[in-house]
Amino acid sequence: EAVAGLRQELNLDRPLHERFWIYLSDLAQLELGTSFVTRRPVAPAILTAASATFTYVGWALLLGMAYSLSTAALAYFKGPAFRRGLQAINSAFTGVPSLIVALGIGLVVLGFNLFSFVESSDARNILLASLALAVYPACTLSQILVEESDIVSNKQYVTAARSAGFSERQIYRVVVL
C-alpha cells in the first residue's frame, strides 16, 4: 500500500507522456516539488541558494576581470620577458585542478592572514571563495587577452599608427581595449 501510494503521489502510475506534460506544466509554474529529506517545497530552498551563488559568482567575475585586464595591460607595456613569465604562471594555474588551487589559496591566505583588513568573517569567506572560483577563468581570459594583443599589435594598422606618431597608450586603447 505504501509503494502504491508513493507511485500515485509521484505520478508514476500514469503513462510517460502524461508524466512529462505534468512535469513541464509544474516547471512552468516553478512548482519543483517537495524535498524527500526536509518535506518542504524545493523552490524556496533553490532561491535561497541562488542568492548566495550569485554573490560568489559576481565577486569572482569582478576579481577575474580585474586580474585579466590588468595583466593584459602589464604584458603589453612590460615586454616579451614579462609576457612569457605571465603565460607560464597562467598556464600553471589553468593546468592544476581547481580543488588543489583552492586549497593552496586557502593555505596561503589563512597562513599569512592576508585578508586581515576585512573585518567581517562572512566577507572574508566570500572573498576567499570568490578568489578560488576566479582563478581558472581569470588565467584563461588573461592568456587569451595577452595572445590576442600580441596578434593585433603586429597588424598593419598598428604599424601605421606607430609610424604616424601615435603614443603607445593610444595604440594600447585600440589593441587591448
Side-chain angles (χ1 to χ4, degrees):
E1 289 178 22
V3 171
L6 187 60
R7 288 180 63 83
Q8 186 177 13
E9 180 183 337
L10 297 175
N11 294 321
L12 295 175
D13 57 342
R14 298 181 181 210
L16 183 63
H17 68 280
E18 285 183 31
R19 286 187 283 172
F20 185 65
W21 180 252
I22 291 169
Y23 166 74
L24 288 179
S25 64
D26 285 348
L27 189 62
Q29 298 170 21
L30 293 179
E31 175 57 45
L32 303 176
T34 305
S35 169
F36 288 121
V37 176
T38 63
R39 295 287 179 206
R40 287 190 258 173
V42 172
I46 289 176
L47 291 176
T48 302
S51 68
T53 300
F54 287 132
T55 301
Y56 289 117
V57 169
W59 280 105
L61 179 65
L62 287 174
L63 290 170
M65 292 296 292
Y67 172 80
S68 58
L69 289 174
S70 62
T71 55
L74 286 172
Y76 181 80
F77 288 114
K78 292 289 184 180
F82 182 82
R83 212 172 290 129
R84 282 191 301 273
L86 182 63
Q87 292 295 76
I89 291 169
N90 286 337
S91 295
F93 275 112
T94 56
V96 175
S98 297
L99 179 62
I100 303 299
V101 171
L103 286 172
I105 290 172
L107 288 173
V108 168
V109 168
L110 295 175
F112 293 109
N113 203 14
L114 296 179
F115 289 159
S116 60
F117 62 91
V118 180
E119 305 230 353
S120 169
S121 64
D122 289 340
R124 272 195 301 269
N125 292 339
I126 289 172
L127 191 57
L128 187 60
S130 298
L131 182 62
L133 281 173
V135 169
Y136 181 80
C139 290
T140 303
L141 184 58
S142 176
Q143 283 180 320
I144 292 169
L145 286 175
V146 169
E147 289 173 14
E148 289 299 317
S149 69
D150 282 347
I151 291 170
V152 172
S153 65
N154 293 324
K155 296 287 184 181
Q156 288 181 345
Y157 65 89
V158 175
T159 306
R162 283 191 181 108
S163 65
F166 285 92
S167 69
E168 283 299 314
R169 283 182 187 245
Q170 292 171 324
I171 294 171
Y172 167 76
R173 288 186 196 140
V174 173
V175 171
V176 177
L177 299 178

